[in-house]
Amino acid sequence: MRERLVIPPELAHLSPGAIAKALGYSRTAILQARRREAGLCISCAGRDPDQGGYCASCRRSIRKSQARRARKKNGFRKWKPGSRGRPPKAAK
Ligand SMILES: [Zn+2]
């Protein structure tokens, strides 16, 4: 994994595109580094990001899309009452 990008202060006043060109990073990486430094969610610039840099609502939507991808790939079906296996710990 690449190390986390920290924007050098002498480049901080430039636009994301100009910094991206100067450092060889993507514009997305520059924007995310800026938001991380400012203590904001790296996706939506919302408040209270977690360790990974995303806020609670972005984290939720990421988990959702990851679950959808996993279901598509592995054919996973959500547990239902009366089906085989252990019910999930948070069964409703
Ligand atoms: Zn967010």
Side-chain angles (χ1 to χ4, degrees), residues 41 43-44 46 55 58:
C41 169
S43 172
C44 71
C55 69
C58 287

Side-chain angles (χ1 to χ4, degrees), residues 15 33-34 37 46 55 83-84:
S15 71
R34 270 191 177 168
E37 278 167 29
C55 69
S83 77
R84 294 169 42 156

Side-chain angles (χ1 to χ4, degrees), residues 42-61:
I42 62 173
S43 172
C44 71
R47 286 175 190 205
D48 292 332
D50 61 12
Q51 287 261 301
Y54 292 97
C55 69
S57 94
C58 287
R59 179 64 69 201
R60 214 175 303 125
S61 73

Side-chain angles (χ1 to χ4, degrees), residues 1-85:
M1 200 179 110
R2 225 168 171 183
E3 250 175 62
R4 270 208 177 143
L5 167 65
V6 178
I7 298 169
E10 64 268 23
L11 294 176
H13 65 282
L14 296 172
S15 71
I19 299 172
K21 231 179 187 176
L23 296 181
Y25 279 88
S26 67
R27 295 182 67 236
T28 310
I30 306 292
L31 277 169
Q32 290 182 341
R34 270 191 177 168
R35 286 174 176 171
R36 197 177 288 121
E37 278 167 29
L40 301 170
C41 169
I42 62 173
S43 172
C44 71
R47 286 175 190 205
D48 292 332
D50 61 12
Q51 287 261 301
Y54 292 97
C55 69
S57 94
C58 287
R59 179 64 69 201
R60 214 175 303 125
S61 73
I62 289 167
R63 296 294 306 171
K64 237 178 164 175
S65 64
Q66 280 175 343
R68 199 187 313 119
R69 218 171 300 138
R71 264 199 304 286
K72 199 175 173 189
K73 191 177 164 195
N74 306 324
F76 171 78
R77 265 183 232 140
K78 211 172 168 183
W79 181 88
K80 279 183 230 147
S83 77
R84 294 169 42 156

